[in-house]
Amino acid sequence: MSDTQPGNIENVLQEDRRFPPPAEFKPRVSFKTNAEYEAAWNRAKDDPAGFWGELAKENLEWFEPFTSVMSGDMPETKWFEGGKINASVQCLDRHLEKNANKAAIIWEGEPGDTRVLRYQDLHREVCKFANVLKRLGIETGDRVTIYMPMVPELVIAMLACARIGATHSIIFAGFSAEAVADRNNDAQAKLVITADAGWRRGKEVPLKAAVDESLEKSPSVEKVVVYQRTGADVTMVPDRDYWWHELMENESTDCEAVALDSEHPLFILYTSGSTGKPKGVLHTTAGYMLGTTMTTRWTFDLSDEDTYWCTADIGWITGHSYIVYGPLSNGATSVMYEGAPNWPDEGRFWELVEKYQVSIFYTAPTAIRAFMKWGDQWPGKADLSSLRLLGTVGEPINPEAWMWYHEVIGGERCPIVDTWWQTETGGIMLTPVPGVTETKPGSCTKPLPGVVPAIFDEQGNALEINQGGLLVMTQPWPHMLRTLYGDHDRFVETYFSKFEGIYFAGDGARTDEDGYYWILGRVDDVLNVSGHRLSTMEVESALVAHEAVAEAAVVGFPHDLKGEGICCFVTLKSGEPNAEMKKELTAHVRKQIGAIATPDQIRFAPALPKTRSGKIMRRLLRDIAAGRETAGDTTTLEDSNILAALRKNDDS
Ligand code: PRX
């Protein structure tokens, strides 16, 4: 559907600044020197089974040892077969002997209420809720949808599922009822765990009401558990809906964890692809746990002395891997915050850093750009001297934002880890090693051990230094996705058909003379809006589902805060192309997908620019959306008057 040429991508950014590791930063549990990192990387490349096998023995808690480390080529590689394991034991039980009284989660609600859950508290609540799940008829292998605000019960629900071997599917609480229904159906979920509502900028976001609406269209769901967060009015359907607190009241605190196969499905997480419905990325237990455990340690140097805060929402992969599984597996103390960064004012994050003495802070470029816009006075009010390491994830960070983060937040003393990875990769793949790798603003630098990337042209030839091309992984890693739930063919087709037996990430990239990687963005029809993937196709489908719309094409354009904004070109079959209709279509897309997909621009046109063979020329639409002159060839355009009409129509 796209008319771009993804191979041989032009690269325009020239960045010469370099930042040697700050002398103050002393690695605690990560690699101590570049030589140590390189030795590990080479070992993992030459002997992946030896490398990962040793780590799995040392760092994972096994009921029964595995008999083989890895078997089979990509995409069918299996890890740690024969082993029996449980992710909740790895995250909780293992720490009870030495660290029962250590804070696992320091939680702050948006209104300012706080809770601290020690490892023994979290363990107790998880055991109780696992018993609740069993009582509600959930068995090993069932799928459970979780649609909750950022409260500790979300973590409890996840780990309770893991404890009994139910596969969780978390849906970001900003998605709409329609999106929840689609995901319930795709996963054939039996149970939904939700809350009455969540808090966002002082307003209640109704969640139970959305679940009620979704259940009209998702017949597989038998029961709903509702956690009371805000006290909002909700309708409880008898014999279907149950209050969390009532179920937990007399529940036993004993719940033996189920010994699961290494490859037992731990969770499904839906993500956007370039075509069709969302993809249910499936991660399994042992490989994912090993990957998140080790990458947390290597990337964040997360030790017993640290207070770590990842600001992501658990509804995305970053929250799964680096709020829940990675940090808890390492026995760390994590801060978890429920609400918005600018509530009650723009200084909230920095107040939290000071209040909890956060030492490691992990956020997204889109947030950093918002902080820059709000002004230095906000971080200036807080004492940020507890910070020793900063991280970013989700999209390429522009060097200006990197420099601001380095100077204003990091006081020029904290290394920045710019971490490249994906829902599919399960854990961080490319990142500086803190205190070891020299950094360059805008580059995610080097692969972690076990990650063997390359840059290919369209034909699968490895490209030279400074040639932009397609980012691929040539060797399997334990925490990679295993399939797309219910659609193994689509899994093979999406990631492994462009180059056989090689993982194609969908991103463009180049390497420089030092072997550093520079990500050039997505090469498919996937937008990166505030660090979250959205498929242009999904927004188009939502638009054409509206009765007034004949045809729609959606493209991204550069957006100061969001990274990419959503521009919709729409041809109407009825109704007036006016401001009223724009409002209506905007609301329609929000209802179909959720607030995350709210269009930034809607432009009406009597027709869309097409080639003579009927293909929409997205390249032209992207130029128009970005306000650029149309570069390149327009001679294949069927009707050249259309472009002028589209350009004129830019009042939004
Ligand atoms: O395009 C890359 C971008 O985000 C995509 C993955 O999105 P998602 O699966 O939603 O996961 C986001 C959090 C892991 C990638 O294909 N991306 C992620 N991190 C970076 C990045 N682009 C550049 N630099 C990064 N550090």
Side-chain angles (χ1 to χ4, degrees), residues 578-618:
N578 54 24
E580 206 45 44
M581 180 63 83
K582 281 189 189 179
K583 255 204 225 147
E584 188 173 327
L585 294 180
T586 304
H588 174 76
V589 173
R590 283 177 70 114
K591 179 158 169 34
Q592 294 271 314
I593 306 176
I596 181 97
T598 307
D600 295 283
Q601 297 181 22
I602 291 191
R603 296 179 181 226
F604 295 111
L608 298 176
K610 289 187 185 157
T611 60
R612 275 161 237 266
S613 61
K615 242 173 113 181
I616 294 174
M617 294 184 74
R618 284 158 186 283

Side-chain angles (χ1 to χ4, degrees), residues 87 91 158-159 162 168 266 288-289 292 320-321 324-329:
C91 291
M158 294 166 81
L159 294 176
H168 60 71
L266 179 61
Y288 175 80
M289 285 312 303
T292 52
H320 282 62
S321 299
V324 183
Y325 290 109
L328 293 177
S329 171

Side-chain angles (χ1 to χ4, degrees), residues 419-615:
T419 63
W420 178 91
W421 58 294
Q422 308 177 294
T423 305
E424 293 86 343
T425 67
I428 293 166
M429 303 290 277
L430 299 165
T431 177
V433 173
V436 165
T437 311
E438 179 173 71
T439 50
K440 305 181 188 181
S443 168
C444 57
T445 74
K446 298 264 194 158
L448 282 177
V451 175
V452 188
I455 296 182
F456 280 5
D457 69 9
E458 280 287 327
Q459 284 69 45
N461 306 307
L463 288 174
E464 313 258 306
I465 286 166
N466 281 327
Q467 290 186 314
L470 307 173
L471 179 63
V472 299
M473 301 295 149
T474 60
Q475 213 170 272
W477 64 102
H479 37 301
M480 66 190 289
L481 81 166
R482 297 297 192 268
T483 191
L484 293 175
Y485 187 76
D487 199 347
H488 198 68
D489 289 348
R490 187 176 178 200
F491 159 74
V492 176
E493 165 69 26
T494 308
Y495 306 105
F496 297 94
S497 66
K498 194 159 188 79
F499 311 112
E500 215 190 311
I502 301 257
Y503 174 81
F504 170 48
D507 278 7
R510 72 175 167 98
T511 51
D512 67 15
E513 42 293 327
D514 297 319
Y516 279 37
Y517 283 77
W518 297 77
I519 304 295
L520 303 171
R522 303 285 309 174
V523 297
D524 50 19
D525 289 327
V526 172
L527 308 173
N528 192 325
V529 179
S530 304
H532 302 303
R533 279 156 65 179
L534 273 178
S535 128
T536 55
M537 177 78 180
E538 272 170 90
V539 183
E540 285 164 9
S541 312
L543 283 166
V544 295
H546 188 281
E547 58 191 13
V549 174
E551 196 169 37
V554 171
V555 297
F557 66 96
H559 188 287
D560 282 352
L561 290 180
K562 297 183 184 180
E564 256 187 311
I566 303 175
C567 178
C568 311
F569 293 88
V570 174
T571 309
L572 293 178
K573 63 179 173 217
S574 61
E576 288 300 310
N578 54 24
E580 206 45 44
M581 180 63 83
K582 281 189 189 179
K583 255 204 225 147
E584 188 173 327
L585 294 180
T586 304
H588 174 76
V589 173
R590 283 177 70 114
K591 179 158 169 34
Q592 294 271 314
I593 306 176
I596 181 97
T598 307
D600 295 283
Q601 297 181 22
I602 291 191
R603 296 179 181 226
F604 295 111
L608 298 176
K610 289 187 185 157
T611 60
R612 275 161 237 266
S613 61
K615 242 173 113 181

